[in-house]
Amino acid sequence: MSMQKMHTAAAGPIELDLSVSNGRINVHVNPAAAHATVTAHTAADEGPVADAVNDTKFTEHGNKLTVSVPDDLAGGIGGTNVVQVGGNTFSFGAGVVNTDTMTGMTISDGDIWIGGQHIVSNGQVIAQQGAKVGGSTGTITLDVVLPPHSSLTLSTKNAETTVRGDLQTIRFDARNGSLQAGGVKILEAETHNGSVLVDTVDEELEASTHNGSITVSAYNGHRGSARTHNGGVTISATPAASGRLAARTHNGNIQVRGAGHLDLKTSTHNGRVW
């Protein structure tokens, strides 16, 4: 069993504005696609994660599609704290505990879901004796297909994002999450705990992280800035690049290649520049 919700947009390139707290986001730019599609799904068929998928809202105005996935940890006052150990995440706050990728267990108001299965309801065990839990981790996945020349704006707390293909613009804002993308004309990315890895930037680059690295494999732009507190910056400029390029770190190395023809500014407190 699983929960899924899907929307197909009007024909043509779109500006996708996506908001999701937790999970994974997979974006594919398909040159043959006439319509954008967004599918939210989870292997869980009940519980807070399934409810979040079911309550996902799609709003379309002209060529702009807004997708809002409710916080699967919502339901009380106060904030949510996130502890990351390796690749695992443990979230707690507002009376809800969600071990997410650690064990796939959610505890809320006396109810417990494990692997997407409802095990305890109002403090009473409802799972059959000998029941085995497996498969679902109770996470939300968003699969997005975009036509060429589309743009993406993404706001997330704890979601990993992968973009395959070329976009006009990517605006990425994350608390804990990394971005891996193909080609983009304009990139604006900010994450507290996460890295930014992009194949090509053709016009403008504005990327910053607190704990994470920034890597641009081919920079063709005319205005660029990469800043990180704890992490490295690696940028390979091409002959097509022009203007000013700035790279700054506090604790990390800076490596910029092919930038002899640029107005290059670099600085690091504890690290090397080469």
Side-chain angles (χ1 to χ4, degrees), residues 8-41:
T8 300
I14 68 164
E15 296 178 11
L16 176 61
D17 191 337
L18 179 59
S19 176
V20 58
S21 291
N22 309 294
R24 174 164 291 278
I25 302 160
N26 303 312
V27 180
H28 176 215
V29 184
N30 184 357
H35 302 263
T37 61
V38 180
T39 305
H41 60 93

Side-chain angles (χ1 to χ4, degrees), residues 107-170:
I107 305 172
S108 176
D109 296 327
D111 287 5
I112 299 177
W113 290 264
I114 300 177
Q117 296 188 34
H118 204 170
I119 304 300
V120 176
S121 177
N122 294 321
Q124 300 295 318
V125 177
I126 62 174
Q128 295 182 357
Q129 185 175 2
K132 295 182 178 180
V133 178
S136 166
T137 60
T139 58
I140 296 173
T141 300
L142 283 159
D143 290 323
V144 179
V145 177
L146 295 176
H149 310 297
S150 295
S151 295
L152 172 66
T153 298
L154 172 61
S155 176
T156 181
K157 290 181 181 177
N158 312 298
E160 298 296 315
T161 302
T162 302
V163 180
R164 294 180 175 85
D166 298 340
L167 289 173
Q168 297 292 104
T169 302
I170 296 178

